[in-house]
Amino acid sequence: MGPTRRSFLRRGSAVATLGSLVGLTGCSQSVAPSADAGDGAAESSETNDSTTGSSPATDETADDGGTDAGPSVPESVALEPLVTGFQAPVAVVFPPDTSPDSPDRAYVVDQSGVVSLYESGELRDGPFLDLRDSLEFGGEKGLLGFALHPNFAGNRRLFVRYSAPRREGTPSAYSHTFVLAEFQAAADGRTVRRDSERTLLEIPEPQRNHNAGDVAFGPDGYLYVAVGDGGGGNDRGRGHVDDWYDPVPGGNGQDVTENLLGSILRIDVDSRSDGKPYGIPEDNPLVGTDGLDEHYAWGFRNPWRMSFDGEDLYVGDVGQGWFEEVDLVRAGGNYGWNVKEGTHCLRRESCPDRTPDSVRGGEPLLDPVVEYPHSGGEVSGISVIGGYVYRGSAVPGLRGRYVFADLNANGRLFVATPPDVGTGTDGRDGTEGGLWPVRALDVQGGERTLERVLSFGRDPRGELYVLGGGSGESGVYRVVAGE
């Protein structure tokens, strides 16, 4: 058993107990991925009839793997607590230099603004990093992303993404400012020099939701940054620009010239160019064309949690009113929002499957590899929580499969099986092969311990961690074989 909430608080940790927080779709927690389109009075009834088309039979096409794919997917798994007592844990990050044989150090990120260090079986006294005096916390705002430099052992550089009060350059009618910043940790990696902050990127956020916020280093050494569409319903309203698709006015998801919203960005934190505090990889897809060079992929609504498996980049994109999706993202990919929600047309009986020839040569609107509805069937929910491909040994039947969840977990995880699992060959670019089969995975005792899921993590051994909880507290739990 890991440290409990009681022992954690007794140590004087900066993580607060559960209080009166902004609720979301019936949850008492303050959590980041929005299940609605909401921005208060800006909302409309349009969010309840956003798509057309029938519900995909994700549970009916579920596959247990078969003999060619190794062990079958288990009927259930168990959760082993690593550490509990958090308000809204959104990331657990293991140092890149940690030995696979002994991943005994982890950084746990709470949306409230505190990063804690778990080491040698316990939480260290005091925070690793405390940003509560610099950010706005509540609803979908807060400390949303954290990444350690690939050479963290040598340079002690780390990167955070948080919601700051409006800064210079953010219009007064806007909600807040997106901040991506770099910090320097102490030589022992146990504390951060608070005065070492260097701002890399600021983005005006027009509304309070759809903040996304995950950051992760890819195998290429570049930093990938998830950015939501700016909030509101249908990607329109305050802070949403015009795009090429007139039938649904808006929006930032289909725009790559006016702002960085609704996209996955890719930057080089080890260089600087054009007066910016970061560099632009030369092979970013819009370099030398009409578009902002930071863009790596676009057409996202609220990309909540992303992960790499080798060179594959998985992104869970939160839907609006009907469907949730997971995308297998490639450079220059357009993932459809706000023309589509998942594979379905947004507010239209029919819609194009590519942009006009005048828009980047008629690029295709790429379908997700996973889609599930808000109602009906074993696999359903309200807000997708992106996960990881499992590469551990504790649960052999999950190896090579993508494990993810819904915010409204109700004691369940989801498992998607890629085509030719274990070989990584066919149907993995998000353009062919259709939707991957998905099935629900029961969590033993999950009705009490896993009412909601906020995030996932994966350690150097490939073992999976679930961040969330229930019954009044949240924590970090290791996924292990069930009884």
Side-chain angles (χ1 to χ4, degrees):
M1 293 288 288
T4 64
R5 176 173 182 263
R6 182 174 301 167
S7 62
F8 183 26
L9 295 176
R10 189 166 59 240
R11 292 188 182 97
S13 166
V15 180
T17 58
L18 297 176
S20 299
L21 305 175
V22 178
L24 177 64
T25 61
C27 295
S28 61
Q29 301 297 311
S30 176
V31 293
S34 175
D36 58 20
D39 192 23
E43 288 296 317
S44 75
S45 60
E46 293 176 340
T47 62
N48 292 321
D49 60 351
S50 59
T51 56
T52 60
S54 60
S55 170
T58 51
D59 57 321
E60 294 177 6
T61 59
D63 180 18
D64 68 359
T67 56
D68 292 339
S72 298
V73 176
E75 292 297 324
S76 65
V77 293
L79 297 182
E80 178 180 280
L82 184 73
V83 59
T84 61
F86 294 91
Q87 198 160 352
V90 293
V92 57
V93 177
F94 298 85
D97 59 315
T98 300
S99 168
D101 297 328
S102 57
D104 64 345
R105 178 180 282 193
Y107 298 90
V108 182
V109 181
D110 197 275
Q111 187 185 343
S112 64
V114 175
V115 182
S116 301
L117 175 58
Y118 176 85
E119 187 176 40
S120 301
E122 64 180 6
L123 285 168
R124 288 184 57 84
D125 291 336
F128 171 74
L129 175 62
D130 188 347
L131 290 176
R132 289 177 296 174
D133 61 351
S134 298
L135 56 73
E136 293 185 354
F137 168 50
E140 297 181 41
K141 297 184 292 184
L143 177 55
L144 302 175
F146 178 91
L148 302 175
H149 192 279
N151 189 29
F152 180 70
N155 61 30
R156 294 306 188 196
R157 297 168 65 194
L158 58 113
F159 301 83
V160 299
R161 152 77 174 95
Y162 64 91
S163 307
R166 286 187 301 273
R167 293 187 175 182
E168 183 178 356
T170 297
S172 59
Y174 277 32
S175 169
H176 62 283
T177 302
F178 164 122
V179 175
L180 175 68
E182 176 182 348
F183 285 89
Q184 186 77 35
D188 63 3
R190 292 189 172 112
T191 58
V192 170
R193 288 182 25 235
R194 186 66 178 79
D195 62 355
S196 66
E197 181 172 6
R198 181 172 74 96
T199 298
L200 298 182
L201 181 63
E202 296 178 351
I203 301 176
E205 290 281 4
Q207 302 183 46
R208 57 181 170 78
N209 58 347
H210 303 183
N211 294 323
D214 207 1
V215 293
F217 280 94
D220 52 15
Y222 297 131
L223 184 65
Y224 292 70
V225 183
V227 186
D229 71 2
N234 298 311
D235 197 8
R236 58 188 297 187
R238 184 178 66 244
H240 296 261
V241 302
D242 292 333
D243 66 13
W244 58 268
Y245 187 58
D246 293 336
V248 180
N252 293 325
Q254 289 300 311
D255 168 74
V256 297
T257 62
E258 299 300 317
N259 58 57
L260 297 172
L261 298 169
S263 300
I264 304 297
L265 314 180
R266 180 183 186 234
I267 62 174
D268 182 358
V269 299
D270 294 324
S271 67
R272 304 187 187 192
S273 61
D274 299 327
K276 297 176 180 179
Y278 54 84
I280 300 293
E282 294 181 355
D283 59 347
N284 270 10
L286 298 182
V287 171
T289 68
D290 184 21
L292 300 176
D293 291 345
E294 291 86 348
H295 286 294
Y296 180 78
W298 45 90
F300 298 97
R301 180 178 180 269
N302 189 16
W304 180 252
R305 306 297 91 179
M306 60 183 177
S307 66
F308 280 93
D309 182 57
E311 295 183 352
D312 290 338
L313 174 58
Y314 290 84
V315 174
D317 194 19
V318 178
Q320 177 165 283
W322 290 74
F323 296 98
E324 302 298 310
E325 70 181 82
V326 175
D327 299 300
L328 186 52
V329 175
R330 70 184 193 191
N334 182 339
Y335 292 87
W337 180 254
N338 68 345
V339 180
K340 293 183 175 182
E341 183 180 0
T343 63
H344 302 260
C345 296
L346 182 71
R347 300 191 57 76
R348 287 294 180 270
E349 291 294 333
S350 63
C351 59
D353 59 6
R354 61 193 313 111
T355 66
D357 291 342
S358 59
V359 179
R360 297 177 295 279
E363 65 193 15
L365 304 181
L366 301 180
D367 284 340
V369 293
V370 170
E371 178 184 86
Y372 66 91
H374 281 198
S375 62
E378 175 189 0
V379 179
S380 62
I382 58 173
S383 292
V384 66
I385 306 296
Y388 283 81
V389 172
Y390 182 76
R391 296 296 178 188
S393 59
V395 191
L398 296 181
R399 186 167 176 82
R401 295 176 168 86
Y402 181 72
V403 182
F404 65 109
D406 191 85
L407 169 68
N408 189 18
N410 290 327
R412 303 168 303 156
L413 303 176
F414 297 146
V415 181
T417 299
D420 296 333
V421 62
T423 66
T425 53
D426 297 330
R428 301 192 64 183
D429 63 356
T431 61
E432 298 181 29
L435 297 172
W436 296 355
V438 182
R439 56 162 291 182
L441 181 65
D442 288 336
V443 174
Q444 295 175 2
E447 298 82 358
R448 299 184 304 276
T449 62
L450 200 65
E451 296 172 1
R452 63 195 171 276
V453 172
L454 306 181
S455 190
F456 286 84
R458 191 175 70 177
D459 71 20
R461 295 172 298 190
E463 299 299 342
L464 189 66
Y465 296 78
V466 179
L467 283 66
S471 302
E473 68 178 19
S474 292
V476 180
Y477 301 86
R478 184 185 293 111
V479 177
V480 296
E483 297 179 356

Short mmCIF file of all heavy atoms in Angstrom, two decimals, residues 49-54 245 247-248 322-323 338-341 343-353:
data_model
loop_
_atom_site.label_atom_id
_atom_site.label_comp_id
_atom_site.label_asym_id
_atom_site.label_seq_id
_atom_site.Cartn_x
_atom_site.Cartn_y
_atom_site.Cartn_z
N ASP A 49 -27.69 18.68 -30.08
CA ASP A 49 -28.02 18.02 -31.34
C ASP A 49 -26.89 18.23 -32.34
O ASP A 49 -27.09 18.54 -33.48
CB ASP A 49 -29.35 18.54 -31.91
CG ASP A 49 -29.32 20.03 -32.18
OD1 ASP A 49 -28.34 20.70 -31.78
OD2 ASP A 49 -30.27 20.51 -32.82
N SER A 50 -25.69 18.02 -31.84
CA SER A 50 -24.52 18.46 -32.59
C SER A 50 -24.16 17.58 -33.76
O SER A 50 -23.48 18.01 -34.67
CB SER A 50 -23.31 18.55 -31.65
OG SER A 50 -23.06 17.29 -31.06
N THR A 51 -24.54 16.32 -33.76
CA THR A 51 -24.11 15.44 -34.84
C THR A 51 -25.27 14.63 -35.36
O THR A 51 -26.30 14.49 -34.73
CB THR A 51 -23.02 14.48 -34.35
OG1 THR A 51 -23.54 13.75 -33.24
CG2 THR A 51 -21.77 15.20 -33.95
N THR A 52 -25.07 14.08 -36.53
CA THR A 52 -26.04 13.16 -37.09
C THR A 52 -25.35 11.85 -37.32
O THR A 52 -24.14 11.73 -37.33
CB THR A 52 -26.59 13.69 -38.43
OG1 THR A 52 -25.50 13.84 -39.34
CG2 THR A 52 -27.29 15.01 -38.23
N GLY A 53 -26.14 10.81 -37.56
CA GLY A 53 -25.57 9.48 -37.79
C GLY A 53 -25.85 8.57 -36.62
O GLY A 53 -26.18 9.00 -35.53
N SER A 54 -25.70 7.27 -36.86
CA SER A 54 -26.01 6.29 -35.83
C SER A 54 -24.82 6.07 -34.91
O SER A 54 -23.69 6.39 -35.24
CB SER A 54 -26.40 4.97 -36.49
OG SER A 54 -25.33 4.49 -37.29
N TYR A 245 -15.06 26.45 -43.75
CA TYR A 245 -16.29 25.66 -43.81
C TYR A 245 -17.46 26.51 -43.35
O TYR A 245 -17.72 26.66 -42.16
CB TYR A 245 -16.13 24.42 -42.92
CG TYR A 245 -17.28 23.44 -43.02
CD1 TYR A 245 -17.63 22.86 -44.23
CD2 TYR A 245 -18.01 23.09 -41.89
CE1 TYR A 245 -18.67 21.95 -44.32
CE2 TYR A 245 -19.05 22.17 -41.97
CZ TYR A 245 -19.37 21.61 -43.18
OH TYR A 245 -20.41 20.71 -43.27
N PRO A 247 -20.89 26.11 -43.61
CA PRO A 247 -22.12 25.57 -42.99
C PRO A 247 -22.12 25.56 -41.47
O PRO A 247 -23.17 25.62 -40.85
CB PRO A 247 -22.18 24.14 -43.55
CG PRO A 247 -21.50 24.23 -44.87
CD PRO A 247 -20.38 25.19 -44.65
N VAL A 248 -20.94 25.45 -40.83
CA VAL A 248 -20.84 25.57 -39.38
C VAL A 248 -19.86 26.71 -39.10
O VAL A 248 -18.65 26.53 -39.19
CB VAL A 248 -20.34 24.27 -38.72
CG1 VAL A 248 -20.26 24.45 -37.20
CG2 VAL A 248 -21.27 23.11 -39.06
N TRP A 322 -22.09 14.20 -28.55
CA TRP A 322 -22.52 12.86 -28.93
C TRP A 322 -21.40 11.82 -28.93
O TRP A 322 -21.63 10.68 -28.55
CB TRP A 322 -23.14 12.90 -30.33
CG TRP A 322 -24.47 13.59 -30.36
CD1 TRP A 322 -24.71 14.92 -30.27
CD2 TRP A 322 -25.75 12.96 -30.47
NE1 TRP A 322 -26.05 15.17 -30.33
CE2 TRP A 322 -26.72 13.99 -30.45
CE3 TRP A 322 -26.17 11.65 -30.59
CZ2 TRP A 322 -28.09 13.73 -30.55
CZ3 TRP A 322 -27.53 11.40 -30.70
CH2 TRP A 322 -28.48 12.43 -30.67
N PHE A 323 -20.20 12.19 -29.36
CA PHE A 323 -19.16 11.17 -29.56
C PHE A 323 -17.81 11.62 -28.99
O PHE A 323 -17.46 12.80 -29.04
CB PHE A 323 -18.99 10.86 -31.05
CG PHE A 323 -20.21 10.25 -31.66
CD1 PHE A 323 -21.11 11.04 -32.38
CD2 PHE A 323 -20.49 8.90 -31.53
CE1 PHE A 323 -22.26 10.50 -32.94
CE2 PHE A 323 -21.63 8.35 -32.09
CZ PHE A 323 -22.51 9.14 -32.79
N ASN A 338 -14.10 21.69 -36.64
CA ASN A 338 -15.48 21.53 -36.28
C ASN A 338 -16.38 21.17 -37.47
O ASN A 338 -17.57 21.52 -37.49
CB ASN A 338 -16.02 22.80 -35.62
CG ASN A 338 -16.10 23.98 -36.59
OD1 ASN A 338 -15.53 23.98 -37.68
ND2 ASN A 338 -16.79 25.03 -36.18
N VAL A 339 -15.82 20.46 -38.44
CA VAL A 339 -16.63 19.90 -39.52
C VAL A 339 -17.27 18.60 -39.04
O VAL A 339 -18.43 18.32 -39.35
CB VAL A 339 -15.76 19.65 -40.77
CG1 VAL A 339 -16.61 19.06 -41.90
CG2 VAL A 339 -15.08 20.93 -41.21
N LYS A 340 -16.50 17.85 -38.26
CA LYS A 340 -16.96 16.56 -37.75
C LYS A 340 -16.75 16.46 -36.25
O LYS A 340 -15.89 17.13 -35.68
CB LYS A 340 -16.20 15.41 -38.43
CG LYS A 340 -16.49 15.25 -39.91
CD LYS A 340 -15.75 14.03 -40.45
CE LYS A 340 -16.10 13.74 -41.90
NZ LYS A 340 -15.41 12.52 -42.40
N GLU A 341 -17.56 15.61 -35.64
CA GLU A 341 -17.34 15.15 -34.28
C GLU A 341 -17.12 13.65 -34.38
O GLU A 341 -18.04 12.89 -34.66
CB GLU A 341 -18.54 15.47 -33.39
CG GLU A 341 -18.33 15.08 -31.93
CD GLU A 341 -19.54 15.40 -31.06
OE1 GLU A 341 -20.55 15.94 -31.59
OE2 GLU A 341 -19.49 15.12 -29.86
N THR A 343 -16.38 10.54 -36.37
CA THR A 343 -16.60 10.24 -37.79
C THR A 343 -17.89 10.86 -38.32
O THR A 343 -18.24 10.63 -39.47
CB THR A 343 -16.66 8.71 -38.00
OG1 THR A 343 -17.78 8.18 -37.29
CG2 THR A 343 -15.39 8.03 -37.53
N HIS A 344 -18.58 11.64 -37.50
CA HIS A 344 -19.92 12.11 -37.82
C HIS A 344 -19.94 13.61 -38.13
O HIS A 344 -19.21 14.39 -37.52
CB HIS A 344 -20.87 11.82 -36.65
CG HIS A 344 -20.92 10.36 -36.30
ND1 HIS A 344 -21.94 9.53 -36.71
CD2 HIS A 344 -20.07 9.59 -35.59
CE1 HIS A 344 -21.71 8.31 -36.27
NE2 HIS A 344 -20.59 8.32 -35.59
N CYS A 345 -20.79 13.98 -39.05
CA CYS A 345 -20.90 15.38 -39.44
C CYS A 345 -21.47 16.20 -38.29
O CYS A 345 -22.40 15.78 -37.61
CB CYS A 345 -21.78 15.53 -40.67
SG CYS A 345 -21.12 14.74 -42.14
N LEU A 346 -20.92 17.39 -38.10
CA LEU A 346 -21.38 18.29 -37.05
C LEU A 346 -22.54 19.13 -37.57
O LEU A 346 -22.36 19.95 -38.48
CB LEU A 346 -20.24 19.19 -36.58
CG LEU A 346 -20.59 20.16 -35.45
CD1 LEU A 346 -20.77 19.41 -34.14
CD2 LEU A 346 -19.51 21.22 -35.30
N ARG A 347 -23.74 18.86 -37.02
CA ARG A 347 -24.93 19.66 -37.33
C ARG A 347 -25.31 19.64 -38.81
O ARG A 347 -25.94 20.57 -39.31
CB ARG A 347 -24.75 21.10 -36.85
CG ARG A 347 -24.51 21.21 -35.35
CD ARG A 347 -24.58 22.65 -34.86
NE ARG A 347 -25.87 23.24 -35.19
CZ ARG A 347 -27.01 23.00 -34.55
NH1 ARG A 347 -27.03 22.14 -33.55
NH2 ARG A 347 -28.12 23.59 -34.90
N ARG A 348 -24.93 18.61 -39.53
CA ARG A 348 -25.29 18.49 -40.93
C ARG A 348 -25.54 17.02 -41.26
O ARG A 348 -24.93 16.12 -40.67
CB ARG A 348 -24.17 19.02 -41.84
CG ARG A 348 -24.04 20.54 -41.84
CD ARG A 348 -25.26 21.20 -42.46
NE ARG A 348 -25.18 22.66 -42.47
CZ ARG A 348 -25.62 23.45 -41.50
NH1 ARG A 348 -26.14 22.90 -40.40
NH2 ARG A 348 -25.54 24.75 -41.61
N GLU A 349 -26.44 16.76 -42.23
CA GLU A 349 -26.67 15.40 -42.69
C GLU A 349 -25.46 14.87 -43.44
O GLU A 349 -25.18 13.68 -43.42
CB GLU A 349 -27.91 15.36 -43.59
CG GLU A 349 -29.22 15.60 -42.85
CD GLU A 349 -29.53 14.48 -41.87
OE1 GLU A 349 -29.08 13.34 -42.10
OE2 GLU A 349 -30.23 14.74 -40.87
N SER A 350 -24.77 15.76 -44.14
CA SER A 350 -23.58 15.35 -44.88
C SER A 350 -22.55 16.46 -44.80
O SER A 350 -22.89 17.63 -44.56
CB SER A 350 -23.91 15.04 -46.34
OG SER A 350 -24.39 16.21 -47.00
N CYS A 351 -21.30 16.09 -44.98
CA CYS A 351 -20.22 17.08 -44.90
C CYS A 351 -19.05 16.56 -45.71
O CYS A 351 -18.97 15.37 -46.03
CB CYS A 351 -19.82 17.33 -43.45
SG CYS A 351 -19.25 15.87 -42.56
N PRO A 352 -18.11 17.43 -46.06
CA PRO A 352 -16.97 16.98 -46.85
C PRO A 352 -16.04 16.09 -46.04
O PRO A 352 -16.02 16.13 -44.81
CB PRO A 352 -16.28 18.30 -47.24
CG PRO A 352 -16.67 19.26 -46.16
CD PRO A 352 -18.08 18.87 -45.77
N ASP A 353 -15.27 15.27 -46.73
CA ASP A 353 -14.26 14.45 -46.07
C ASP A 353 -12.85 14.97 -46.32
O ASP A 353 -11.88 14.31 -46.01
CB ASP A 353 -14.36 12.99 -46.49
CG ASP A 353 -14.19 12.79 -47.99
OD1 ASP A 353 -13.87 13.77 -48.69
OD2 ASP A 353 -14.36 11.66 -48.46
#
